[in-house]
Amino acid sequence: MKVQVMKTIRINKYLAESGIASRRKSEEFILQGRVTVNGKVVKDLSAKIDPYNDVVYVDDVKLKTKEKVYFLLNKPKGVITSTADEKKRMTVVDLIDTREKIFPVGRLDYNTTGLLILTNDGDFANRLAHPSNKIERVYIAKLNKDLKESDKLKLLNGIYIDKRRSRFTKISFVEENNFSLVKVVTVEGRNHFVKNMFSNLGYRVKELERESFGKFTTKGLSPGSYKILKKSEVEKLIK
Ligand code: URA
């Protein structure tokens, strides 16, 4: 699914939001031919600006392009992975202190904890979600019963979920002599993937945590806290 983000805004709004002038005054500047976009004079009041990429000048003053921001959140339980909720439940966006319009990349279920990336960069989110990106996700799942060796092999060899052959690439046990606490690795980003894999073989996932996503981990972040990522760091996730 493509992430829809508003990418362009009208030039007079863009000028007004940059703080250079009121919207009416900005229109005057545009009509007077004092505004350039990527080196070209723009006199059309209905022209659209990409606030993240276009270079806009009024006379010789360069207006600031918008920053793309990236956050790595350790999602706690009982928070919805969405930008808004009609039932007024807390969302992952509520946990992050920013004025930018951010959204989560992918989703974790209401009671799943762990690593979630949020950004205002729609292109990045779409590139990350592309199936050619085989990014490893590591989950810790607490099952309602011990995982049988025969089922472990089935999950590694592949079973059918939604008519698609689906598998975990690695499975290990977190603690010695505890066969219901399982670490699984997958490159799948489908919703409810881990729970569906286990329920297909008659197991219920009682608790689920995403420990890592590519090279990112939640290490050092308590549930509900987050850190800011650099664009250069997140770009490395995409091949
Ligand atoms: N798989 C699931 O079943 N749930 C999640 O929240 C994430 C992956």
Side-chain angles (χ1 to χ4, degrees):
M1 190 185 64
K2 282 241 170 204
V3 178
Q4 296 293 334
V5 283
M6 189 194 67
K7 283 190 67 181
T8 58
I9 58 173
R10 274 174 74 118
I11 190 163
N12 55 341
K13 186 165 186 255
Y14 177 78
L15 259 62
E17 283 184 0
S18 77
I20 192 114
S22 67
R23 206 175 291 196
R24 203 169 53 81
K25 194 78 192 157
S26 300
E27 288 184 358
E28 275 178 42
F29 288 159
I30 296 161
L31 294 171
Q32 288 164 356
R34 293 167 61 181
V35 179
T36 62
V37 179
N38 303 327
K40 287 199 189 109
V41 172
V42 172
K43 287 188 175 181
D44 177 3
L45 291 176
S46 64
K48 293 275 173 48
I49 298 293
D50 175 345
Y52 296 101
N53 294 307
D54 287 339
V55 179
V56 183
Y57 275 86
V58 177
D59 298 335
D60 54 1
V61 178
K62 186 178 177 195
L63 305 188
K64 240 182 156 6
T65 47
K66 279 210 170 203
E67 289 296 312
K68 289 174 185 164
V69 291
Y70 309 88
F71 299 96
L72 189 166
L73 171 71
N74 185 354
K75 179 192 170 297
K77 270 189 186 173
V79 175
I80 186 157
T81 304
S82 174
T83 50
D85 182 42
E86 70 230 9
K87 292 188 205 148
K88 300 263 178 285
R89 286 173 299 182
M90 181 176 273
T91 74
V92 287
V93 169
D94 295 332
L95 295 170
I96 296 192
D97 185 11
T98 178
R99 289 171 64 182
E100 295 294 331
K101 269 194 167 13
I102 56 167
F103 53 87
V105 180
R107 62 163 292 166
L108 293 179
D109 296 333
Y110 187 64
N111 276 328
T112 298
T113 59
L115 195 151
L116 188 69
I117 292 176
L118 297 103
T119 182
N120 58 356
D121 184 346
D123 287 338
F124 163 76
N126 285 328
R127 283 189 291 146
L128 202 62
H130 197 271
S132 65
N133 264 310
K134 300 263 179 250
I135 299 169
E136 278 196 343
R137 290 119 161 120
V138 179
Y139 293 90
I140 309 285
K142 193 171 178 181
L143 305 176
N144 64 328
K145 57 185 179 182
D146 290 353
L147 180 64
K148 282 198 267 170
E149 187 60 28
S150 56
D151 288 336
K152 185 179 159 191
L153 291 177
K154 282 184 197 161
L155 293 167
L156 288 168
N157 286 332
I159 56 175
Y160 281 87
I161 303 279
D162 304 327
K163 299 191 184 139
R164 270 169 60 187
R165 200 174 163 78
S166 309
R167 58 189 287 260
F168 293 136
T169 50
K170 281 181 213 150
I171 302 179
S172 56
F173 296 105
V174 179
E175 297 166 349
E176 228 176 293
N177 297 323
N178 180 350
F179 304 103
S180 61
L181 191 63
V182 190
K183 183 183 279 209
V184 297
V185 182
T186 178
V187 293
E188 276 281 356
R190 276 181 275 167
N191 289 346
H192 316 302
F193 182 73
V194 176
K195 289 180 188 163
N196 288 344
M197 287 287 280
F198 281 112
S199 75
N200 194 280
L201 298 181
Y203 296 84
R204 191 166 57 81
V205 175
K206 290 181 5 183
E207 281 180 30
L208 187 62
E209 179 192 354
R210 179 151 74 188
E211 198 182 64
S212 68
F213 183 75
K215 69 179 181 62
F216 293 121
T217 73
T218 50
K219 242 191 204 144
L221 283 179
S222 56
S225 59
Y226 64 90
K227 64 181 178 185
I228 299 169
L229 300 174
K230 290 198 213 98
K231 186 172 170 69
S232 56
E233 285 179 291
V234 294
E235 281 294 334
K236 282 187 203 145
L237 273 176
I238 302 171
K239 291 200 189 88

Short mmCIF file of all heavy atoms in Angstrom, two decimals, residues 2-23:
data_model
loop_
_atom_site.label_atom_id
_atom_site.label_comp_id
_atom_site.label_asym_id
_atom_site.label_seq_id
_atom_site.Cartn_x
_atom_site.Cartn_y
_atom_site.Cartn_z
N LYS A 2 0.52 2.20 -0.86
CA LYS A 2 1.32 3.43 -0.94
C LYS A 2 0.94 4.36 0.20
O LYS A 2 -0.22 4.49 0.56
CB LYS A 2 1.04 4.15 -2.25
CG LYS A 2 1.77 3.52 -3.41
CD LYS A 2 2.71 4.52 -4.02
CE LYS A 2 3.62 3.83 -5.01
NZ LYS A 2 4.85 4.50 -5.25
N VAL A 3 1.94 5.02 0.78
CA VAL A 3 1.66 6.00 1.82
C VAL A 3 1.32 7.31 1.12
O VAL A 3 2.06 7.77 0.27
CB VAL A 3 2.90 6.21 2.71
CG1 VAL A 3 2.63 7.26 3.75
CG2 VAL A 3 3.33 4.92 3.32
N GLN A 4 0.16 7.87 1.45
CA GLN A 4 -0.23 9.13 0.83
C GLN A 4 0.20 10.27 1.74
O GLN A 4 -0.24 10.37 2.86
CB GLN A 4 -1.76 9.18 0.65
CG GLN A 4 -2.30 8.13 -0.29
CD GLN A 4 -1.85 8.33 -1.73
OE1 GLN A 4 -1.55 9.44 -2.15
NE2 GLN A 4 -1.77 7.25 -2.48
N VAL A 5 1.06 11.14 1.24
CA VAL A 5 1.40 12.33 2.02
C VAL A 5 1.26 13.54 1.11
O VAL A 5 1.49 13.44 -0.09
CB VAL A 5 2.84 12.28 2.57
CG1 VAL A 5 2.93 11.39 3.76
CG2 VAL A 5 3.84 11.89 1.52
N MET A 6 0.85 14.64 1.71
CA MET A 6 0.73 15.84 0.90
C MET A 6 2.14 16.29 0.53
O MET A 6 2.96 16.52 1.39
CB MET A 6 0.04 16.94 1.69
CG MET A 6 -0.30 18.10 0.82
SD MET A 6 -0.75 19.54 1.78
CE MET A 6 0.78 19.92 2.55
N LYS A 7 2.41 16.37 -0.76
CA LYS A 7 3.78 16.67 -1.15
C LYS A 7 3.96 18.10 -1.60
O LYS A 7 5.03 18.66 -1.49
CB LYS A 7 4.22 15.70 -2.26
CG LYS A 7 4.56 14.34 -1.71
CD LYS A 7 5.22 13.48 -2.72
CE LYS A 7 6.59 13.99 -3.09
NZ LYS A 7 7.24 13.16 -4.10
N THR A 8 2.91 18.70 -2.18
CA THR A 8 3.10 20.05 -2.70
C THR A 8 2.12 21.02 -2.06
O THR A 8 1.05 20.63 -1.61
CB THR A 8 2.87 20.07 -4.23
OG1 THR A 8 1.56 19.59 -4.49
CG2 THR A 8 3.88 19.21 -4.96
N ILE A 9 2.55 22.29 -2.00
CA ILE A 9 1.63 23.32 -1.52
C ILE A 9 1.70 24.51 -2.45
O ILE A 9 2.69 24.69 -3.16
CB ILE A 9 1.90 23.75 -0.05
CG1 ILE A 9 3.32 24.28 0.14
CG2 ILE A 9 1.62 22.65 0.92
CD1 ILE A 9 3.55 24.85 1.53
N ARG A 10 0.65 25.32 -2.43
CA ARG A 10 0.63 26.49 -3.32
C ARG A 10 1.72 27.46 -2.94
O ARG A 10 2.03 27.66 -1.76
CB ARG A 10 -0.73 27.16 -3.23
CG ARG A 10 -1.74 26.54 -4.17
CD ARG A 10 -3.07 27.17 -3.91
NE ARG A 10 -3.06 28.53 -4.46
CZ ARG A 10 -3.87 28.94 -5.42
NH1 ARG A 10 -4.74 28.10 -5.94
NH2 ARG A 10 -3.82 30.17 -5.87
N ILE A 11 2.24 28.11 -3.97
CA ILE A 11 3.42 28.96 -3.78
C ILE A 11 3.18 30.11 -2.79
O ILE A 11 4.05 30.41 -1.97
CB ILE A 11 3.95 29.46 -5.15
CG1 ILE A 11 5.30 30.13 -4.98
CG2 ILE A 11 2.95 30.32 -5.89
CD1 ILE A 11 6.08 30.27 -6.26
N ASN A 12 1.99 30.71 -2.84
CA ASN A 12 1.77 31.84 -1.91
C ASN A 12 1.68 31.36 -0.46
O ASN A 12 2.17 32.01 0.46
CB ASN A 12 0.54 32.67 -2.32
CG ASN A 12 -0.72 31.83 -2.43
OD1 ASN A 12 -0.64 30.61 -2.56
ND2 ASN A 12 -1.86 32.47 -2.40
N LYS A 13 1.12 30.16 -0.28
CA LYS A 13 1.04 29.58 1.07
C LYS A 13 2.46 29.26 1.56
O LYS A 13 2.81 29.51 2.72
CB LYS A 13 0.17 28.31 1.02
CG LYS A 13 -0.11 27.71 2.35
CD LYS A 13 -1.25 26.70 2.26
CE LYS A 13 -1.64 26.18 3.62
NZ LYS A 13 -1.18 24.83 3.89
N TYR A 14 3.23 28.70 0.65
CA TYR A 14 4.61 28.33 1.00
C TYR A 14 5.40 29.57 1.44
O TYR A 14 6.09 29.55 2.46
CB TYR A 14 5.29 27.68 -0.21
CG TYR A 14 6.73 27.32 0.02
CD1 TYR A 14 7.07 26.19 0.76
CD2 TYR A 14 7.75 28.12 -0.46
CE1 TYR A 14 8.39 25.87 0.98
CE2 TYR A 14 9.08 27.80 -0.23
CZ TYR A 14 9.39 26.67 0.48
OH TYR A 14 10.70 26.36 0.71
N LEU A 15 5.26 30.66 0.69
CA LEU A 15 5.97 31.89 1.05
C LEU A 15 5.50 32.40 2.41
O LEU A 15 6.30 32.76 3.27
CB LEU A 15 5.73 32.97 -0.02
CG LEU A 15 6.86 33.19 -1.01
CD1 LEU A 15 7.13 31.95 -1.84
CD2 LEU A 15 6.55 34.36 -1.96
N ALA A 16 4.17 32.41 2.59
CA ALA A 16 3.61 32.92 3.85
C ALA A 16 4.09 32.06 5.02
O ALA A 16 4.50 32.59 6.07
CB ALA A 16 2.10 32.92 3.78
N GLU A 17 4.11 30.71 4.83
CA GLU A 17 4.53 29.82 5.93
C GLU A 17 6.01 29.96 6.24
O GLU A 17 6.45 29.67 7.34
CB GLU A 17 4.19 28.36 5.60
CG GLU A 17 2.71 28.10 5.79
CD GLU A 17 2.32 26.66 5.58
OE1 GLU A 17 3.20 25.82 5.28
OE2 GLU A 17 1.11 26.37 5.70
N SER A 18 6.79 30.38 5.24
CA SER A 18 8.23 30.55 5.49
C SER A 18 8.49 31.77 6.37
O SER A 18 9.58 31.95 6.88
CB SER A 18 8.97 30.72 4.16
OG SER A 18 8.77 32.04 3.68
N GLY A 19 7.45 32.62 6.51
CA GLY A 19 7.59 33.78 7.38
C GLY A 19 8.09 35.02 6.66
O GLY A 19 8.25 36.07 7.27
N ILE A 20 8.33 34.92 5.36
CA ILE A 20 8.90 36.06 4.64
C ILE A 20 7.89 37.21 4.49
O ILE A 20 8.27 38.38 4.48
CB ILE A 20 9.49 35.63 3.26
CG1 ILE A 20 10.34 36.75 2.64
CG2 ILE A 20 8.42 35.24 2.25
CD1 ILE A 20 11.78 36.39 2.55
N ALA A 21 6.61 36.87 4.38
CA ALA A 21 5.59 37.91 4.19
C ALA A 21 4.21 37.31 4.41
O ALA A 21 4.07 36.09 4.49
CB ALA A 21 5.67 38.43 2.75
N SER A 22 3.19 38.16 4.49
CA SER A 22 1.82 37.67 4.60
C SER A 22 1.45 37.01 3.27
O SER A 22 2.15 37.18 2.26
CB SER A 22 0.85 38.83 4.85
OG SER A 22 0.83 39.65 3.69
N ARG A 23 0.32 36.32 3.24
CA ARG A 23 -0.06 35.66 2.00
C ARG A 23 -0.35 36.68 0.88
O ARG A 23 0.02 36.48 -0.25
CB ARG A 23 -1.28 34.76 2.23
CG ARG A 23 -1.24 33.65 1.18
CD ARG A 23 -2.29 32.64 1.33
NE ARG A 23 -2.17 31.78 2.49
CZ ARG A 23 -2.84 30.65 2.59
NH1 ARG A 23 -3.60 30.26 1.61
NH2 ARG A 23 -2.74 29.92 3.67
#
